[in-house]
Amino acid sequence: EPEVTQTPSHQVTQMGQEVILRCVPISNHLYFYWYRQILGQKVEFLVSFYNNEISEKSEIFDDQFSVERPDGSNFTLKIRSTKLEDSAMYFCASSIGQASNEKLFFGSGTQLSVL
Amino acid sequence: DQQVKQNSPSLSVQEGRISILNCDYTNSMFDYFLWYKKYPAEGPTFLISISSIKDKNEDGRFTVFLNKSAKHLSLHIVPSQPGDSAVYFCAARSLDTGTASKLTFGTGTRLQVTL
């Protein structure tokens, strides 16, 4: 079964450094998302992306965050200057369409630790 | 602001018995509800969903019930199997986004199915 793949599985960085989390969505999917889960808390929506632009973002997704689809397969999340509170599991997801009854397929996540 | 609540952080059920996982929501604009299952070191996997125009949806051993007036939904797993042991997340989507973009998740219930 096709799956969303994320790399790396773990990323450790120093506070203030830039990180790029990478995702390869399912190939025929057109809508891409980033979610995150801080340890012990719920999974939270960050951003959705379609047709090379952000379609929706949460208040978490401030100017320190950006997303990009640099080629036909990758979808990246960049955090410009990481803070301690950015430590979380970051999940990429994709869906075929945007209808409200579409289901999202999630990757296995990148555990980001900011020291 | 916990719009989706899963008040039981954990549940233990014997193999073969019924597991009932509960979820409450506060936002009356939610029109579509999903259950995701998550194993350690993996991303959430879609399990079953229900539209707000229905009160029940069944898929094999899994049934989701929706009580709109009580703003409550539940996931029934019968019979429960050891492989069902995982964290179960309730998620909801709002009419006012109208797209697949933003899921609001609960905090999850850890189900342990014992032999």
Side-chain angles (χ1 to χ4, degrees), chain B residues 10-36:
Chain B
S10 63
L11 175 68
S12 183
V13 171
Q14 260 189 327
E15 182 181 12
R17 301 281 183 119
I18 184 170
S19 295
I20 300 176
L21 296 98
N22 293 303
C23 178
D24 296 293
Y25 62 95
T26 56
N27 188 343
S28 56
M29 296 295 282
F30 286 146
D31 70 327
Y32 197 74
F33 304 90
L34 307 91
W35 283 94
Y36 279 82

CSV table of all heavy atoms in Angstrom, one decimal, chain B residues 10-36:
chain,number,residue,atom,x,y,z
B,10,SER,N,-6.7,5.9,29.2
B,10,SER,CA,-6.3,4.5,29.0
B,10,SER,C,-7.5,3.6,29.2
B,10,SER,O,-8.5,3.9,30.0
B,10,SER,CB,-5.1,4.0,29.8
B,10,SER,OG,-5.5,4.1,31.2
B,11,LEU,N,-7.5,2.4,28.6
B,11,LEU,CA,-8.5,1.4,28.7
B,11,LEU,C,-7.9,0.0,28.6
B,11,LEU,O,-7.1,-0.2,27.6
B,11,LEU,CB,-9.6,1.6,27.6
B,11,LEU,CG,-10.7,0.7,27.5
B,11,LEU,CD1,-11.7,0.8,28.7
B,11,LEU,CD2,-11.5,0.9,26.2
B,12,SER,N,-8.3,-0.9,29.4
B,12,SER,CA,-7.8,-2.3,29.3
B,12,SER,C,-9.0,-3.2,29.1
B,12,SER,O,-10.0,-3.1,29.9
B,12,SER,CB,-7.0,-2.6,30.6
B,12,SER,OG,-6.5,-3.9,30.5
B,13,VAL,N,-8.9,-4.1,28.1
B,13,VAL,CA,-10.0,-4.9,27.8
B,13,VAL,C,-9.5,-6.3,27.5
B,13,VAL,O,-8.4,-6.5,27.0
B,13,VAL,CB,-10.8,-4.4,26.5
B,13,VAL,CG1,-11.8,-5.4,26.0
B,13,VAL,CG2,-11.4,-3.1,26.8
B,14,GLN,N,-10.2,-7.3,27.9
B,14,GLN,CA,-9.8,-8.7,27.6
B,14,GLN,C,-10.1,-9.1,26.2
B,14,GLN,O,-11.1,-8.6,25.6
B,14,GLN,CB,-10.6,-9.7,28.5
B,14,GLN,CG,-9.8,-10.2,29.7
B,14,GLN,CD,-10.6,-11.3,30.4
B,14,GLN,OE1,-11.8,-11.3,30.4
B,14,GLN,NE2,-9.8,-12.2,31.0
B,15,GLU,N,-9.2,-9.9,25.6
B,15,GLU,CA,-9.4,-10.4,24.3
B,15,GLU,C,-10.7,-11.0,24.1
B,15,GLU,O,-11.2,-11.7,24.9
B,15,GLU,CB,-8.3,-11.4,24.0
B,15,GLU,CG,-8.3,-11.9,22.5
B,15,GLU,CD,-7.2,-13.0,22.3
B,15,GLU,OE1,-6.6,-13.4,23.3
B,15,GLU,OE2,-7.0,-13.3,21.1
B,16,GLY,N,-11.4,-10.7,23.0
B,16,GLY,CA,-12.7,-11.2,22.7
B,16,GLY,C,-13.9,-10.4,23.2
B,16,GLY,O,-15.0,-10.5,22.7
B,17,ARG,N,-13.6,-9.5,24.1
B,17,ARG,CA,-14.6,-8.6,24.7
B,17,ARG,C,-14.8,-7.4,23.8
B,17,ARG,O,-14.0,-7.1,22.9
B,17,ARG,CB,-14.3,-8.2,26.1
B,17,ARG,CG,-14.1,-9.4,27.1
B,17,ARG,CD,-15.4,-9.9,27.5
B,17,ARG,NE,-15.3,-11.0,28.5
B,17,ARG,CZ,-15.8,-10.9,29.7
B,17,ARG,NH1,-16.4,-9.8,30.1
B,17,ARG,NH2,-15.7,-11.9,30.5
B,18,ILE,N,-15.7,-6.6,24.1
B,18,ILE,CA,-16.0,-5.3,23.4
B,18,ILE,C,-15.1,-4.2,24.0
B,18,ILE,O,-15.0,-4.1,25.2
B,18,ILE,CB,-17.5,-4.9,23.4
B,18,ILE,CG1,-17.7,-3.7,22.5
B,18,ILE,CG2,-18.0,-4.7,24.8
B,18,ILE,CD1,-19.2,-3.4,22.3
B,19,SER,N,-14.5,-3.4,23.1
B,19,SER,CA,-13.8,-2.2,23.6
B,19,SER,C,-14.7,-1.0,23.2
B,19,SER,O,-15.1,-0.9,22.0
B,19,SER,CB,-12.5,-2.0,22.9
B,19,SER,OG,-11.6,-3.0,23.3
B,20,ILE,N,-14.9,-0.1,24.1
B,20,ILE,CA,-15.7,1.1,23.8
B,20,ILE,C,-14.9,2.3,24.1
B,20,ILE,O,-14.5,2.5,25.3
B,20,ILE,CB,-17.0,1.1,24.6
B,20,ILE,CG1,-17.9,-0.1,24.2
B,20,ILE,CG2,-17.8,2.4,24.2
B,20,ILE,CD1,-19.2,-0.2,25.0
B,21,LEU,N,-14.5,3.1,23.1
B,21,LEU,CA,-13.7,4.3,23.3
B,21,LEU,C,-14.7,5.5,23.0
B,21,LEU,O,-15.4,5.5,22.0
B,21,LEU,CB,-12.5,4.3,22.3
B,21,LEU,CG,-11.5,3.2,22.6
B,21,LEU,CD1,-11.7,2.1,21.6
B,21,LEU,CD2,-10.1,3.8,22.4
B,22,ASN,N,-14.6,6.5,23.9
B,22,ASN,CA,-15.5,7.6,23.9
B,22,ASN,C,-14.8,8.9,23.5
B,22,ASN,O,-13.6,9.1,23.8
B,22,ASN,CB,-16.2,7.8,25.2
B,22,ASN,CG,-17.1,6.6,25.5
B,22,ASN,OD1,-18.0,6.3,24.8
B,22,ASN,ND2,-16.9,5.9,26.7
B,23,CYS,N,-15.6,9.8,22.9
B,23,CYS,CA,-15.1,11.1,22.5
B,23,CYS,C,-16.3,12.1,22.6
B,23,CYS,O,-17.4,11.8,22.2
B,23,CYS,CB,-14.6,10.9,21.1
B,23,CYS,SG,-14.0,12.5,20.3
B,24,ASP,N,-16.0,13.3,23.2
B,24,ASP,CA,-16.9,14.3,23.2
B,24,ASP,C,-16.4,15.5,22.5
B,24,ASP,O,-15.2,15.8,22.5
B,24,ASP,CB,-17.2,14.7,24.7
B,24,ASP,CG,-17.8,13.5,25.5
B,24,ASP,OD1,-19.0,13.2,25.2
B,24,ASP,OD2,-17.1,13.0,26.3
B,25,TYR,N,-17.3,16.3,22.0
B,25,TYR,CA,-16.8,17.5,21.3
B,25,TYR,C,-17.7,18.7,21.7
B,25,TYR,O,-18.8,18.5,22.1
B,25,TYR,CB,-16.8,17.3,19.8
B,25,TYR,CG,-18.1,17.0,19.1
B,25,TYR,CD1,-18.9,18.0,18.6
B,25,TYR,CD2,-18.6,15.7,19.0
B,25,TYR,CE1,-20.1,17.7,17.9
B,25,TYR,CE2,-19.8,15.4,18.4
B,25,TYR,CZ,-20.6,16.4,17.9
B,25,TYR,OH,-21.8,16.2,17.3
B,26,THR,N,-17.2,19.9,21.5
B,26,THR,CA,-17.9,21.1,21.9
B,26,THR,C,-18.3,22.0,20.7
B,26,THR,O,-19.3,22.7,20.8
B,26,THR,CB,-17.1,21.9,22.9
B,26,THR,OG1,-15.8,22.3,22.2
B,26,THR,CG2,-16.8,21.2,24.2
B,27,ASN,N,-17.7,21.8,19.6
B,27,ASN,CA,-17.9,22.7,18.4
B,27,ASN,C,-19.0,22.2,17.6
B,27,ASN,O,-18.9,21.1,16.9
B,27,ASN,CB,-16.6,22.8,17.6
B,27,ASN,CG,-16.7,23.8,16.5
B,27,ASN,OD1,-17.8,24.3,16.1
B,27,ASN,ND2,-15.6,24.2,16.0
B,28,SER,N,-20.2,22.9,17.5
B,28,SER,CA,-21.3,22.4,16.8
B,28,SER,C,-21.1,22.5,15.3
B,28,SER,O,-21.9,22.0,14.5
B,28,SER,CB,-22.6,23.2,17.2
B,28,SER,OG,-22.4,24.6,17.1
B,29,MET,N,-20.0,23.1,14.9
B,29,MET,CA,-19.7,23.2,13.4
B,29,MET,C,-19.0,22.0,12.9
B,29,MET,O,-18.8,21.8,11.7
B,29,MET,CB,-18.8,24.5,13.2
B,29,MET,CG,-19.5,25.8,13.5
B,29,MET,SD,-20.9,26.1,12.4
B,29,MET,CE,-20.1,26.6,10.9
B,30,PHE,N,-18.6,21.1,13.8
B,30,PHE,CA,-18.0,19.8,13.3
B,30,PHE,C,-19.0,19.0,12.5
B,30,PHE,O,-20.1,18.8,13.0
B,30,PHE,CB,-17.5,19.0,14.5
B,30,PHE,CG,-16.2,19.6,15.1
B,30,PHE,CD1,-16.0,19.4,16.5
B,30,PHE,CD2,-15.2,20.2,14.4
B,30,PHE,CE1,-14.9,19.9,17.1
B,30,PHE,CE2,-14.1,20.7,15.0
B,30,PHE,CZ,-13.9,20.6,16.3
B,31,ASP,N,-18.6,18.6,11.3
B,31,ASP,CA,-19.6,17.8,10.5
B,31,ASP,C,-19.0,16.5,10.1
B,31,ASP,O,-19.8,15.7,9.4
B,31,ASP,CB,-20.0,18.7,9.3
B,31,ASP,CG,-18.8,18.8,8.3
B,31,ASP,OD1,-17.7,18.8,8.7
B,31,ASP,OD2,-19.1,18.8,7.1
B,32,TYR,N,-17.8,16.2,10.4
B,32,TYR,CA,-17.2,14.9,10.0
B,32,TYR,C,-16.3,14.5,11.1
B,32,TYR,O,-15.5,15.3,11.6
B,32,TYR,CB,-16.5,15.1,8.7
B,32,TYR,CG,-16.3,13.8,7.9
B,32,TYR,CD1,-17.3,13.1,7.3
B,32,TYR,CD2,-15.0,13.3,7.8
B,32,TYR,CE1,-17.1,12.0,6.6
B,32,TYR,CE2,-14.8,12.1,7.1
B,32,TYR,CZ,-15.8,11.5,6.5
B,32,TYR,OH,-15.6,10.3,5.8
B,33,PHE,N,-16.3,13.2,11.4
B,33,PHE,CA,-15.6,12.7,12.5
B,33,PHE,C,-14.8,11.4,12.1
B,33,PHE,O,-15.3,10.6,11.3
B,33,PHE,CB,-16.5,12.3,13.7
B,33,PHE,CG,-17.3,13.5,14.2
B,33,PHE,CD1,-18.6,13.7,13.6
B,33,PHE,CD2,-16.9,14.4,15.1
B,33,PHE,CE1,-19.3,14.8,14.0
B,33,PHE,CE2,-17.6,15.5,15.5
B,33,PHE,CZ,-18.9,15.7,14.9
B,34,LEU,N,-13.6,11.3,12.6
B,34,LEU,CA,-12.7,10.2,12.2
B,34,LEU,C,-12.1,9.6,13.4
B,34,LEU,O,-11.8,10.3,14.4
B,34,LEU,CB,-11.6,10.7,11.2
B,34,LEU,CG,-12.0,11.5,10.0
B,34,LEU,CD1,-12.1,13.0,10.3
B,34,LEU,CD2,-11.1,11.3,8.8
B,35,TRP,N,-11.8,8.4,13.3
B,35,TRP,CA,-11.0,7.7,14.3
B,35,TRP,C,-9.7,7.2,13.7
B,35,TRP,O,-9.7,6.7,12.6
B,35,TRP,CB,-11.7,6.5,14.9
B,35,TRP,CG,-12.7,6.8,15.9
B,35,TRP,CD1,-14.1,7.0,15.6
B,35,TRP,CD2,-12.6,7.1,17.3
B,35,TRP,NE1,-14.8,7.3,16.8
B,35,TRP,CE2,-13.9,7.4,17.8
B,35,TRP,CE3,-11.5,7.0,18.2
B,35,TRP,CZ2,-14.1,7.6,19.2
B,35,TRP,CZ3,-11.7,7.3,19.5
B,35,TRP,CH2,-13.0,7.6,20.0
B,36,TYR,N,-8.6,7.5,14.3
B,36,TYR,CA,-7.3,7.1,13.9
B,36,TYR,C,-6.7,6.2,15.0
B,36,TYR,O,-6.9,6.4,16.2
B,36,TYR,CB,-6.3,8.3,13.7
B,36,TYR,CG,-6.5,9.0,12.3
B,36,TYR,CD1,-7.5,9.9,12.1
B,36,TYR,CD2,-5.7,8.7,11.2
B,36,TYR,CE1,-7.7,10.5,10.9
B,36,TYR,CE2,-5.9,9.3,10.0
B,36,TYR,CZ,-6.9,10.2,9.9
B,36,TYR,OH,-7.1,10.9,8.7
